[in-house]
Amino acid sequence: MTKIGMRTIVAALSALSIPLLPTATLAADGLEHAQRWQLNMPYGVTPTSHVVYDLHMLIFWICVVVAVLVYGVMFYSMAVHRKSRGAKPAQFSHNTRLEVLWTALASLVLVAMAWPATAVMINMYDASDSQIDILVTGYQWKWKYEYLGEDVSFFSNIATPDDEIYGDAPKGEHYLLNVDKPLVIPVGTKVRFLITAADVLHSWWVPDFAVKMDAIPGFVNEAWTWVEREGVYRGQCTELCGRLHGFMPIVVNATSQNAYRRWLGERHAEAAAERALLNQRMDLSQLMERGKQVYQTNCASCHLATGAGLPGAFPALHKDSAATGALAEHLGIVINGTPGTAMAAFGAQLGAADLAAVITYERNAWGNDTGDLVQPIDVERYRRGDGVQ
Amino acid sequence: MSADHHHGPASGITRWLFTTNHKDIGTLYLFFAMMMAFLGGAMAMLIRAELFEPGLQLVEPNFFNQMTTMHGLIMVFGFVMPAFVGFANWQLPMMIGAPDMALPRLNNWSFWILPFAFSILVSTLFMEGGGPNFGWTFYAPLSTTYAPPSVTYFIFAVHLLGMSSILGAINIIATIMNLRAPGMDYMKMPMFVWTWFITAFLLLLVMPVLAGAVTMMLMDIHFGTSFFQAAGGGDPVLFQHVFWFFGHPEVYIIILPAFGIVSQIIPTFSRKPLFGYTSMVYATAAIAIMSTLVWAHHMFTVGMPLVGELFFMYTTMLIAVPTGVKIFNWISTMWRGSMTFEAPMLFSIAFVVLFSIGGFSGLMMAIAPADFQYHDTYFIVAHFHYVLVPGAVFGVFAGVYYWLPKWTGRMYDERLGQLHFWLTFIGANLTFFPQHFVGLAGMPRRIPDYALQFADFNAISSVGAFLFGTSQLVFVVILVRVLKDKASGRLEGAVGERAWEGVEGLEWTLPSPPPYHSFTTPPSIR
Ligand SMILES: [Cu+2]
Ligand SMILES: [Cu+2]
């Protein structure tokens, strides 16, 4: 049987069922994010999300029918066969024909569910012939997106400020579901996601695409999507990944093909500008300003904005720490990480300018005041193994 | 040995420390389970308080993770499992016509391991770096390379728990195989005995696997191996396979004894024999065997090959058949009976209805492509709480109300029992039903804070949880009053051998409360 044939079966079977009224209208409107009082799964914006929704509703209604029958018999019995109404107990204790019948019936219902489910599953696993490939890497606690063959790669961090989280400011519209740089993909294009992780397990989920795939260090998993409609689609990490698991949202901006190409061009220009930075020297205030920003997005989640860390888990960075010790060691820890601990190798995550800035910041903030200045070129030399000057 | 020694317990604390009596040990297990239920419940209250509204109000995310982890571990290993072992201790010898358990000293040890294990586990919360914060499923490498130092204590505690369970299981198997009264064939054993017999074999099969998983973690953390470390050539997914080979049967270890309790209660209060006893026994065995073939349905999104996805989808769906058979049998038992609705029956009926809801959502999750949307959301949280709370926990309540008059010789206050039931029933549904909705709408599990559109149902869920939690105090009041009545020797509320009208079975031929050594001469079985 062909893929399309199977899909028709799913649609036909689920058409037999009346959709849940309030939620179905919500879903059919194709709203881009979950609504208050939403009861059901989104219908979504991809062919896969539609068939998954139909399958979900099909099983749901089968369960409802079975439940009505079973509970109906049970509640009838409870109402009628009660001692207070003078019921005399019958003494039968089995009925082989009945027992065989319901075992067979239950098995048949299962086959009716397994058949369309198999078709959908086979389709979900077919990631061939993609037009765009994106490598998605989960980090504690952000996502990295790399457009393969495009020299475009960036991190996507949560953009909800702490003030909103801790109740010091009113919560914005997309509270916890906003990022600094969303993933951008074109509509009407088969996009393949290659999903992996750099530290612990994460899981990349966008409900409107019906794409959820675990990000596992050492493995590269595959998923794909084909978005029908332009819009901003939001999701979250769904595998417990440590302290800020609840704070690593996913935002996908699905644009027209033209807008996508324009966006790609801008990213190329940005990459060129970043390379030019290597040969620039920055003064202390420039480095500190840039360093503070880099620190907030990359380091503060563990070492805290005050550099105080968390005793026993994450070392403090103020006086008498690696941040005031030998510069070479400090560079080494930040660039290569500390194996066997939660300290990641940021050399693979940040550009030379950001690394230089954040190290300078750590050595001069919170009263550390070592006066050390690290320039992008110093970082580059350290990486090449030329040591520190 | 003095003659005394044979007829009654020693007095004071040594009675409990050194006891080899099945009833004393049963009481210890049940009491311990209740303490753990309140501890795990307090953690749940804290979790629901934090989730009452969006934003972080009460706890830090890292502490929140410790609370979800400990809540799960304590409720599974500290509350439900010991509670059912408590029932097994009290009931198995009485139901098969034996004087005691087959291995009484082992029995003592199985219990006394538990307080040590849990003291170690709970003490990790006060250690530097905090307690386990990686979820009760403790997936590597979050639980190895990235774990707080206290993980070593966690591993030791899990080893102790496993040892306690294995010893308990050996004892139960030995008792059932060797101490049945003459004439009690396997196919004449009460359903509760059957379910525990099968559960004990499951325990023997999977607890060593859990021990293996934590041992591999220990090696990775302290001895430089890389079982679960990709950087060293290891495989983080291997951990999940090993864990769920234990974890899925564990679900049935938790629920089968509850099936057994309900199978005793529904016939009693329907005044009619259990329908389809033989098919019940076979269905239980089928569930146990099949439970070892479905583990990877917890892992549909790890990127298994397509054939793996399909295999585990089909086997998981198949488990619905024997489970359905049980439900149908219970309802057929009620059919044309002569029912009354005392607290044990109410909890049993609620068990059948609400456990089925968990069964339905379980069936939905078996459908692999749909599970891609459900996996690791609150839909899953709703599902397994329906299976564990109105499932296992209601089974515990039903069993306590059913056998308490036998154990103490005093009937509990039925009006308070009804109150406890209705408050619990409403509280549990209010807590867990809305979680289906937020899960489907996209709320991941194990998060301390959530997007604004999930706020309404979370608030309802929290209110339900507070109601559910506080109404358990009614249960404590009921217990205290029964025990007080017993201690004061008041005759009001005293019950005879047959505490309930419709009861069948050997335990109801003994006086209430039963003698210290249940059957000193084997009863005759018709
Ligand atoms: Cu996560
Ligand atoms: Cu399972």
Side-chain angles (χ1 to χ4, degrees):
Chain A
M1 182 149 307
T2 65
K3 227 181 286 168
I4 302 302
M6 289 288 217
R7 205 181 276 173
T8 326
I9 291 174
V10 179
L13 279 171
S14 58
L16 294 174
S17 58
I18 325 136
L20 255 184
L21 285 170
T23 52
T25 42
L26 272 181
D29 289 347
L31 292 167
E32 285 157 8
H33 48 84
Q35 299 299 300
R36 282 185 70 175
W37 300 109
Q38 179 175 330
L39 298 174
N40 203 356
M41 187 186 283
Y43 185 61
V45 293
T46 66
T48 305
S49 74
H50 303 334
V51 285
V52 166
Y53 176 86
D54 290 340
L55 193 58
H56 157 74
M57 290 314 290
L58 169 70
I59 314 154
F60 172 73
W61 285 111
I62 290 178
C63 288
V64 168
V65 170
V66 175
V68 167
L69 291 175
V70 171
Y71 294 157
V73 172
M74 187 172 178
F75 292 141
Y76 173 82
S77 179
M78 281 164 62
V80 175
H81 306 141
R82 43 168 72 208
K83 198 185 173 198
S84 57
R85 295 185 56 166
K88 292 274 167 293
Q91 285 304 314
F92 63 87
S93 67
H94 62 279
N95 181 335
T96 313
R97 263 174 60 195
L98 197 62
E99 288 171 65
V100 170
L101 182 75
W102 65 43
T103 309
L105 266 181
S107 309
L108 270 181
V109 171
L110 290 183
V111 175
M113 294 183 191
W115 186 266
T118 304
V120 177
M121 196 68 239
I122 291 171
N123 182 259
M124 277 173 88
Y125 257 59
D126 180 11
S128 59
D129 302 323
S130 60
Q131 289 147 285
I132 297 175
D133 294 334
I134 300 172
L135 178 64
V136 178
T137 311
Y139 287 80
Q140 281 180 325
W141 292 277
K142 59 197 165 218
W143 295 98
K144 184 186 192 186
Y145 300 116
E146 281 176 87
Y147 290 68
L148 298 184
E150 286 290 354
D151 188 29
V152 171
S153 129
F154 58 90
F155 279 88
S156 184
N157 288 283
I158 186 169
T160 303
D162 273 3
D163 284 352
E164 289 187 22
I165 294 172
Y166 287 98
D168 300 327
K171 300 188 184 353
E173 194 195 350
H174 297 297
Y175 177 68
L176 296 188
L177 297 180
N178 239 347
V179 296
D180 53 356
K181 292 176 196 163
L183 178 69
V184 178
I185 58 171
V187 295
T189 308
K190 187 162 185 176
V191 180
R192 183 168 66 136
F193 302 110
L194 298 160
I195 299 174
T196 186
D199 35 52
V200 298
L201 306 179
H202 303 266
S203 189
W204 198 80
W205 183 34
V206 180
D208 280 305
F209 300 171
V211 169
K212 180 186 284 146
M213 190 49 80
D214 289 359
I216 301 170
F219 284 73
V220 179
N221 278 332
E222 234 180 26
W224 66 274
T225 196
W226 194 97
V227 182
E228 290 165 347
R229 235 190 357 258
E230 291 177 34
V232 180
Y233 306 104
R234 295 167 200 276
Q236 284 181 268
C237 174
T238 52
E239 183 63 68
L240 178 62
C241 54
R243 200 166 74 84
L244 298 185
H245 160 59
F247 305 86
M248 51 183 294
I250 295 151
V251 179
V252 183
N253 193 358
T255 65
S256 68
Q257 316 237 2
N258 278 333
Y260 172 72
R261 269 189 295 275
R262 238 180 357 254
W263 176 86
L264 215 53
E266 288 163 19
R267 297 290 80 73
H268 287 145
E270 245 178 40
E274 174 73 18
R275 277 192 295 275
L277 260 185
L278 254 189
N279 303 316
Q280 267 180 32
R281 299 195 73 80
M282 292 186 271
D283 64 30
L284 183 65
S285 69
Q286 279 174 313
L287 283 166
M288 288 297 279
E289 194 183 324
R290 187 180 182 123
K292 184 168 184 178
Q293 263 179 19
V294 177
Y295 184 86
Q296 291 298 350
T297 34
N298 294 283
C299 318
S301 53
C302 295
H303 298 288
L304 304 193
T306 57
L310 199 69
F314 309 117
L317 296 180
H318 38 56
K319 278 194 173 45
D320 309 318
S321 70
T324 53
L327 180 57
E329 246 164 65
H330 191 180
L331 276 163
I333 293 173
V334 175
I335 292 174
N336 302 322
T338 313
T341 72
M343 181 63 195
F346 283 93
Q349 301 185 27
L350 299 173
D354 283 345
L355 287 166
V358 78
I359 293 167
T360 307
Y361 177 72
E362 288 174 357
R363 298 185 76 76
N364 294 286
W366 319 300
N368 282 356
D369 299 330
T370 56
D372 294 337
L373 249 71
V374 184
Q375 296 294 344
I377 194 72
D378 299 328
V379 173
E380 209 44 36
R381 283 201 190 104
Y382 180 87
R383 279 174 164 170
R384 285 202 306 259
D386 294 357
V388 188
Q389 285 153 359
Chain B
M1 262 186 271
S2 71
D4 250 34
H5 194 86
H6 282 283
H7 295 287
S11 55
I13 183 80
T14 52
R15 165 178 178 183
W16 302 106
L17 278 178
F18 303 134
T19 183
T20 55
N21 179 276
H22 74 100
K23 299 192 190 71
D24 285 352
I25 294 172
T27 304
L28 285 171
Y29 266 112
L30 287 168
F31 186 72
F32 178 78
M34 194 165 83
M35 309 265 295
M36 286 291 120
F38 277 102
L39 181 59
M43 292 171 176
M45 294 300 106
L46 193 56
I47 292 168
R48 283 312 328 169
E50 177 58 58
L51 292 175
F52 181 71
E53 56 175 355
L56 290 175
Q57 290 86 24
L58 301 172
V59 295
E60 270 300 297
N62 192 44
F63 188 70
F64 183 90
N65 289 347
Q66 294 175 44
M67 285 296 101
T68 54
T69 305
M70 290 299 239
H71 165 72
L73 291 169
I74 287 174
M75 289 309 205
V76 168
F77 294 102
F79 168 32
V80 176
M81 290 174 73
F84 285 132
V85 179
F87 279 107
N89 263 289
W90 259 100
Q91 288 305 123
L92 291 183
M94 293 203 287
M95 293 174 101
I96 62 174
D100 205 307
M101 296 293 279
L103 308 165
R105 281 166 211 263
L106 198 73
N107 205 5
N108 175 294
W109 196 32
S110 322
F111 172 76
W112 279 109
I113 288 174
L114 285 181
F116 291 100
F118 278 93
S119 306
I120 292 169
L121 187 62
V122 173
S123 72
T124 57
L125 286 175
F126 306 99
M127 291 179 188
E128 204 172 277
N133 55 6
F134 30 67
W136 87 274
T137 51
F138 51 99
Y139 280 7
L142 189 62
S143 62
T144 53
T145 318
Y146 294 82
S150 65
V151 65
T152 308
Y153 292 88
F154 157 82
I155 290 171
F156 186 47
V158 171
H159 270 304
L160 289 177
L161 295 175
M163 204 192 298
S164 161
S165 291
I166 290 171
L167 298 180
I170 290 173
N171 201 355
I172 284 166
I173 292 172
T175 305
I176 295 174
M177 289 180 78
N178 298 307
L179 298 190
R180 277 169 296 129
M184 181 173 281
D185 307 334
Y186 281 111
M187 290 313 277
K188 280 188 187 159
M189 296 195 310
M191 219 36 231
F192 179 70
V193 179
W194 255 117
T195 52
W196 245 120
F197 192 45
I198 291 167
T199 303
F201 278 105
L202 269 184
L203 275 169
L204 282 193
L205 181 72
V206 302
M207 290 316 280
V209 178
L210 175 67
V214 291
T215 306
M216 285 191 266
M217 282 168 59
L218 188 75
M219 303 289 280
D220 273 10
I221 295 168
H222 292 294
F223 302 105
T225 58
S226 296
F227 288 109
F228 308 132
Q229 248 154 203
D235 178 351
V237 180
L238 172 68
F239 176 86
Q240 298 182 33
H241 282 293
V242 179
F243 178 84
W244 286 113
F245 186 81
F246 148 79
H248 192 80
E250 170 69 19
V251 175
Y252 291 94
I253 287 167
I254 285 173
I255 204 68
L256 289 182
F259 283 180
I261 290 174
V262 168
S263 302
Q264 300 296 131
I265 292 173
I266 289 181
T268 298
F269 294 92
S270 306
R271 295 170 178 75
K272 190 164 157 279
L274 180 68
F275 183 89
Y277 171 85
T278 316
S279 67
M280 280 298 231
V281 171
Y282 287 126
T284 310
I287 289 175
I289 293 166
M290 286 163 73
S291 78
T292 61
L293 296 173
V294 299
W295 74 88
H297 64 206
H298 298 264
M299 304 163 55
F300 280 142
T301 62
V302 298
M304 267 188 293
L306 181 62
V307 283
E309 301 273 321
L310 295 177
F311 174 82
F312 286 106
M313 172 165 84
Y314 300 148
T315 53
T316 305
M317 293 174 75
L318 223 51
I319 270 207
V321 176
T323 314
V325 165
K326 287 188 154 282
I327 306 271
F328 296 149
N329 281 350
W330 287 321
I331 292 174
S332 305
T333 306
M334 292 162 67
W335 187 256
R336 290 182 53 211
S338 173
M339 277 182 267
T340 51
F341 301 93
E342 289 87 345
M345 184 62 162
L346 286 178
F347 273 109
S348 298
I349 289 172
F351 172 94
V352 175
V353 173
L354 301 181
F355 178 80
S356 302
I357 292 182
F360 287 131
S361 56
L363 190 57
M364 296 172 78
M365 286 151 37
I367 310 293
D371 185 65
F372 274 75
Q373 291 285 52
Y374 310 139
H375 180 73
D376 267 344
T377 68
Y378 258 81
F379 191 75
I380 304 293
V381 176
H383 158 76
F384 68 71
H385 279 96
Y386 260 87
V387 180
L388 289 176
V389 176
V393 177
F394 279 22
V396 171
F397 286 138
V400 169
Y401 284 120
Y402 183 51
W403 281 308
L404 195 61
K406 169 56 61 187
W407 297 341
T408 61
R410 296 291 182 288
M411 186 53 83
Y412 61 87
D413 184 337
E414 183 60 41
R415 274 186 23 238
L416 283 182
Q418 302 265 333
L419 177 72
H420 175 227
F421 169 75
W422 285 108
L423 290 177
T424 304
F425 180 84
I426 294 167
N429 282 296
L430 210 54
T431 310
F432 300 119
F433 209 81
Q435 296 180 354
H436 291 112
F437 303 139
V438 282
L440 290 174
M443 179 169 163
R445 66 190 281 203
R446 291 169 166 168
I447 56 176
D449 192 7
Y450 48 81
L452 301 180
Q453 63 266 28
F454 307 128
D456 307 291
F457 284 126
N458 269 290
I460 294 174
S461 185
S462 291
V463 170
F466 301 144
L467 173 67
F468 181 44
T470 43
S471 38
Q472 300 324 306
L473 298 176
V474 179
F475 181 65
V476 176
V477 170
I478 292 172
L479 282 186
V480 168
R481 285 176 54 168
V482 165
L483 295 177
K484 252 187 169 164
D485 279 358
K486 189 195 172 201
S488 70
R490 237 160 51 117
L491 286 178
E492 200 189 334
V495 296
E497 292 163 7
R498 294 163 60 87
W500 304 101
E501 189 186 49
V503 286
E504 295 292 336
L506 288 177
E507 77 263 42
W508 306 104
T509 64
L510 290 170
S512 310
Y516 199 55
H517 300 288
S518 302
F519 285 94
T520 39
T521 50
S524 60
I525 312 285
R526 280 156 297 157

